Amino acid sequence: MKKKSVALLFTMLLVLAAFLAGCGGDKDKDADGKDNQGSGSSSGGTLVFARGGDSTNLDPAATTEGEAFRVTKNIFDTLIDFGDDNTELVPGLATEWKGSEDGLTYTLKLREGVKFQDGTDFNAEAVKINFDRWKEGGADKKFDYYVSQFGDRIEEVKVVDPNTVEFKLNGVLAPFLKNLAMSPFAIASPAAIEKYGDKLNEHPVGTGPFKFKEWKRNDKITLVKNETYWKKGLPKLDSVIFKVIPENSARLNALKNNEADIIEGVNYSDMPAIEGDSNLQIFKRPSFNTAYLGLTNTRGPLKDKLVRQALNYAVDKSALIDAFYSGAAEPAINPMPPVVAGYNKDVKDYEYNPEKAKELLKQAGYEKGFSIELWAMPVARPYMPDGQKVAEAIQADFAKVGVKAKIVSYEWATYLDKAAKGDADAFLMGWTGDNGDADNFLYVLLDQDTIGTNNYARYSNPKVHELLTAAQKTIDDDERDQLYKEAQVLIKEDAPWIPLVHSTPLLAGSAKVKNFIAHPTGSDFLEKVEIQK
């Protein structure tokens, strides 16, 4: 078990200092004996979190989409958790874990006395039921994340006793423990699974700090305090409303007018004004993402590697960063950000070179260009504050080399569904890392096994597949890093995407909001958040 990071300890010290400086009230401790003190603010109240689009699903195992996890993270718990502001592993529903020397067996001791929000007991049998459900449904593509993170590697989930569960693997899976901490592998109530089946999406029941109350599609999702939450003294809020406000400027107005407490998708150009307003505050999410233009490798001219390389030379990434990120981003070269272990810093980017793009198009037989559809994201995402405007800029870049791009878009759930099926030519998309591991970027997004799930570009290279699966089976960190670096060289040559930027996403909030931390994964914990009266 790893200790919490220095950053987390520093945050806790700040909370303690604020308490000693004048906060009244009793000291609360959670189930691990950690202090859960206030910071001079009052418990209770409703937090309104305004976002650009609705969730597509509230069954965390049945989605791969960040707006879903933003909500489900606060309804459900995972066996292992991440630190408050990092991807270090800390206890969740499991209090401790141990792996065998051969990497094929993991034993987890479970937290005792925890109940699901419907009163059902949490125990080893509940864990087994969830994993068996995902494994069975994975074969039918119901649970894409299970397929991409575990595949067929989990041979058996064994109930040792009510508070001990054992995972038997048929092959080494290096990121196994980090995968367990990911939002999609949160544990649902077995009673709810039996009662609702595929409708669990509409009736989510977990062990988390908030209970599901209501979902008005494309409007709001309301959660209320779980009075029996296993962490004593939490959550601090009475309720949370996730409100859909599509336009960035409208969300900011809602914040200024006290109609929202936290907003995502802040325009970078609005940051100076927000920072200058004493009633507001800025939250910066650590850069843990990649925005990209996917090029569906099975469609028309995009089947040709030379064409995909040409389009990479055609896009002016620096102009995109200046125009839409106010410099708060860096050009993306590889499919994962430099902070992830295994990043290959020796890979050189396709520089902005329209003449080189034209030359490659001529070699490919498209001297006069061609026409494609360019899909623009309909919602603001952490890595893409304004998909329509970014699409228009790329459209203009493509036009300079003779490629005519027609911009189209769809409602968010439809956009994701059609892109996953390979219906797009070129499509804007992005990814925020789920667990801090290179596997979660390279294998999940670009391996041939994940075509039809998260590999929207439908990219396939047997050598890349060999490297990525070998990395999964390698426990030695240095060996894994080398395999990932080799894979990035091949991916750069094949150019299945145009990697665009790694951004520092901006959120804003009322100055009354306390203890909110923008988590690197994008799945924010709201259990400690308070609103100062």
Side-chain angles (χ1 to χ4, degrees):
M1 234 183 320
K2 299 180 180 179
K3 293 182 179 179
K4 289 190 175 183
S5 69
V6 172
L8 177 54
L9 291 174
F10 181 67
T11 299
M12 293 176 70
L13 287 173
L14 287 178
V15 173
L16 179 59
F19 175 84
L20 295 175
C23 173
D26 295 329
K27 181 186 291 186
D28 290 329
K29 289 179 180 286
D30 65 17
D32 287 322
K34 305 167 193 168
D35 286 348
N36 282 324
Q37 300 165 181
S39 56
S41 53
S42 302
S43 302
T46 297
L47 178 86
V48 178
F49 194 122
R51 55 197 184 141
D54 199 6
S55 302
T56 56
N57 200 311
L58 294 184
D59 177 354
T63 184
T64 62
E65 184 262 317
E67 287 301 341
F69 297 140
R70 186 190 303 281
V71 179
T72 62
K73 181 63 185 175
N74 293 286
I75 300 174
F76 298 88
D77 291 312
T78 46
L79 294 173
I80 302 175
D81 218 336
F82 293 127
D84 285 356
D85 61 357
N86 55 57
T87 54
E88 294 295 316
L89 300 181
V90 300
L93 290 174
T95 57
E96 56 184 281
W97 50 89
K98 182 179 180 181
S100 61
E101 288 188 7
D102 62 7
L104 298 179
T105 303
Y106 289 88
T107 304
L108 280 70
K109 298 296 291 184
L110 305 181
R111 193 175 299 279
E112 298 182 35
V114 176
K115 288 186 177 292
F116 290 96
Q117 294 150 0
D118 59 6
T120 305
D121 289 333
F122 166 74
N123 51 33
E125 184 64 30
V127 174
K128 177 177 173 58
I129 288 170
N130 274 266
F131 275 85
D132 287 351
R133 172 184 180 240
W134 301 334
K135 183 175 183 178
E136 294 166 7
D140 299 326
K141 300 292 185 181
K142 289 182 180 180
F143 305 117
D144 289 349
Y145 244 137
Y146 183 88
V147 173
S148 63
Q149 298 299 142
F150 295 112
D152 61 356
R153 210 67 60 84
I154 298 178
E155 187 70 30
E156 179 188 9
V157 180
K158 181 180 178 181
V159 175
V160 178
D161 61 49
N163 300 308
T164 309
V165 64
E166 183 179 87
F167 292 86
K168 299 288 291 186
L169 309 185
N170 56 28
V172 173
L173 183 59
F176 178 77
L177 290 175
K178 284 203 167 186
N179 289 351
L180 291 184
M182 289 170 50
S183 294
F185 307 120
I187 306 301
S189 162
I193 291 172
E194 182 177 1
K195 181 177 181 179
Y196 300 115
D198 291 341
K199 295 293 185 180
L200 184 68
N201 164 47
E202 299 172 3
H203 306 277
V205 181
T207 60
F210 295 95
K211 298 187 296 185
F212 173 75
K213 179 181 179 182
E214 181 183 39
W215 186 2
K216 294 184 177 180
R217 303 278 180 159
N218 298 312
D219 179 14
K220 65 180 180 180
I221 294 173
T222 303
L223 309 183
V224 297
K225 182 174 185 174
N226 177 10
E227 299 287 355
T228 61
Y229 188 42
W230 54 271
K231 291 186 182 180
K232 184 180 177 182
L234 297 177
K236 297 295 187 180
L237 296 164
D238 291 328
S239 59
V240 178
I241 295 174
F242 294 93
K243 178 71 176 175
V244 177
I245 304 178
E247 295 296 326
N248 293 9
S249 58
R251 285 197 300 281
L252 181 55
N253 286 335
L255 178 63
K256 291 179 177 178
N257 294 330
N258 297 316
E259 296 167 358
D261 301 296
I262 298 176
I263 63 171
E264 68 158 357
V266 173
N267 291 326
Y268 289 87
S269 57
D270 289 326
M271 184 168 64
I274 295 171
E275 291 180 321
D277 188 333
S278 62
N279 294 315
L280 305 178
Q281 58 182 317
I282 282 283
F283 304 106
K284 294 182 179 179
R285 193 182 300 283
S287 182
F288 199 50
N289 59 53
T290 301
Y292 65 92
L293 183 73
L295 306 172
T296 306
N297 291 206
T298 55
R299 293 180 68 88
L302 299 176
K303 295 177 182 178
D304 192 325
K305 179 171 68 176
L306 291 178
V307 170
R308 301 195 300 270
Q309 291 175 344
L311 295 181
N312 268 269
Y313 281 114
V315 174
D316 188 346
K317 299 179 187 178
S318 295
L320 291 178
I321 291 171
D322 291 341
F324 307 114
Y325 297 87
S326 296
E330 60 179 306
I333 300 172
N334 292 314
M336 64 186 196
V339 295
V340 176
Y343 181 86
N344 193 335
K345 59 182 177 55
D346 295 326
V347 172
K348 304 302 180 185
D349 201 4
Y350 291 95
E351 76 271 15
Y352 175 54
N353 190 335
E355 294 307 312
K356 179 68 172 177
K358 291 178 183 177
E359 177 185 327
L360 289 174
L361 288 173
K362 182 177 180 179
Q363 290 181 34
Y366 296 99
E367 183 175 6
K368 295 182 179 180
F370 56 87
S371 298
I372 59 171
E373 287 188 347
L374 196 168
W375 288 20
M377 296 177 66
V379 298
R381 299 299 299 130
Y383 43 75
M384 187 71 59
D386 196 325
Q388 179 66 31
K389 289 182 179 179
V390 171
E392 290 170 0
I394 294 174
Q395 179 187 49
D397 283 343
F398 282 178
K400 294 174 185 175
V401 300
V403 175
K404 297 179 180 178
K406 177 184 177 183
I407 296 176
V408 299
S409 192
Y410 300 91
E411 183 270 332
W412 184 222
T414 303
Y415 186 101
L416 293 172
D417 181 63
K418 291 175 70 66
K421 293 176 179 177
D423 292 346
D425 292 327
F427 55 94
L428 285 172
M429 193 63 71
W431 190 259
T432 299
D434 293 290
N435 64 7
D437 197 275
D439 178 80
N440 184 245
F441 281 90
L442 300 183
Y443 179 82
V444 170
L445 301 178
L446 289 166
D447 190 83
Q448 62 193 40
D449 284 348
T450 60
I451 293 174
T453 57
N454 293 307
N455 184 351
Y456 293 175
R458 309 186 89 75
Y459 169 64
S460 177
N461 181 322
K463 179 59 178 176
V464 170
H465 173 70
E466 179 182 327
L467 291 167
L468 297 183
T469 52
Q472 290 181 333
K473 300 172 184 177
T474 303
I475 296 178
D476 184 272
D477 288 341
D478 291 337
E479 291 181 20
R480 292 189 77 218
D481 288 353
Q482 185 56 41
L483 291 166
Y484 288 128
K485 288 177 180 179
E486 292 177 29
Q488 288 164 76
V489 172
L490 297 177
I491 291 169
K492 193 262 184 175
E493 172 70 16
D494 288 339
W497 297 351
I498 303 175
L500 298 174
V501 304
H502 306 299
S503 71
T504 300
L506 298 180
L507 300 87
S510 163
K512 296 180 180 180
V513 173
K514 305 298 178 183
N515 304 330
F516 174 77
I517 299 174
H519 199 268
T521 64
S523 296
D524 300 317
F525 314 129
L526 300 180
E527 61 185 19
K528 297 178 183 177
V529 174
E530 299 182 66
I531 299 178
Q532 192 174 42
K533 301 293 186 178

